[in-house]
Amino acid sequence: MDGVINGFLERNLPDFKKDISVTVTGGERDSYCVTAENGKLFVRANNYISAFAGIYDYLKKYCKVQLSWCGNRTINIEKLVMFSGELSREIKQKFRVYELLHTGLFYVLVGF
């Protein structure tokens, strides 16, 4: 794992840094796949953002973590919860960030 991933894990899940393996594969579509086995979490994603979204979705679904900008900002878990199968997601829209930016700019310029 590289410095970006190590830094993210050190800041957010320092007690589990050695138990989480993140692989960035590249690719055009935003996607991730999370699996768990033998006390370790494996994340495969096309980029950093997708990888971190996969980790957060795992934390929400299996560890019952909820983070908020105005409330809980720390991850407090005692262990990584193991599960069978995989947790995966693929975003089909090619320009989803571009579309959101244009929608926001439209409302700013028009004054809604």
Side-chain angles (χ1 to χ4, degrees), residues 40-109:
K40 298 196 180 285
L41 194 68
F42 299 93
V43 181
R44 190 177 65 253
N46 74 310
N47 59 40
Y48 295 128
I49 295 171
S50 295
F52 302 147
I55 292 171
Y56 183 56
D57 283 352
Y58 159 80
L59 290 169
K60 284 192 309 184
K61 183 171 184 170
Y62 295 105
C63 300
K64 308 301 182 212
V65 169
Q66 285 293 330
L67 297 178
S68 170
W69 66 271
C70 64
N72 182 26
R73 294 184 182 186
T74 59
I75 299 171
N76 297 315
I77 59 174
E78 294 180 14
K79 64 178 184 168
L80 294 176
V81 177
M82 297 293 102
F83 65 98
S84 60
E86 64 181 39
L87 174 64
S88 62
R89 185 173 183 194
E90 179 179 338
I91 305 300
K92 306 249 187 247
Q93 297 89 353
K94 186 174 182 179
F95 297 111
R96 71 184 160 100
V97 173
Y98 170 82
E99 292 166 359
L100 290 173
L101 177 63
H102 269 67
T103 302
L105 286 175
F106 171 77
Y107 284 117
V108 169
L109 293 174

Side-chain angles (χ1 to χ4, degrees), residues 6-63:
N6 283 331
F8 174 85
L9 293 174
E10 186 63 42
R11 285 187 307 277
N12 296 288
L13 294 160
D15 295 339
F16 304 101
K17 182 178 167 183
K18 65 178 176 41
D19 299 322
I20 300 174
S21 173
V22 178
T23 304
V24 176
T25 61
E28 192 171 308
R29 297 207 181 216
D30 289 344
S31 62
Y32 64 79
C33 178
V34 181
T35 57
E37 185 178 331
N38 297 326
K40 298 196 180 285
L41 194 68
F42 299 93
V43 181
R44 190 177 65 253
N46 74 310
N47 59 40
Y48 295 128
I49 295 171
S50 295
F52 302 147
I55 292 171
Y56 183 56
D57 283 352
Y58 159 80
L59 290 169
K60 284 192 309 184
K61 183 171 184 170
Y62 295 105
C63 300

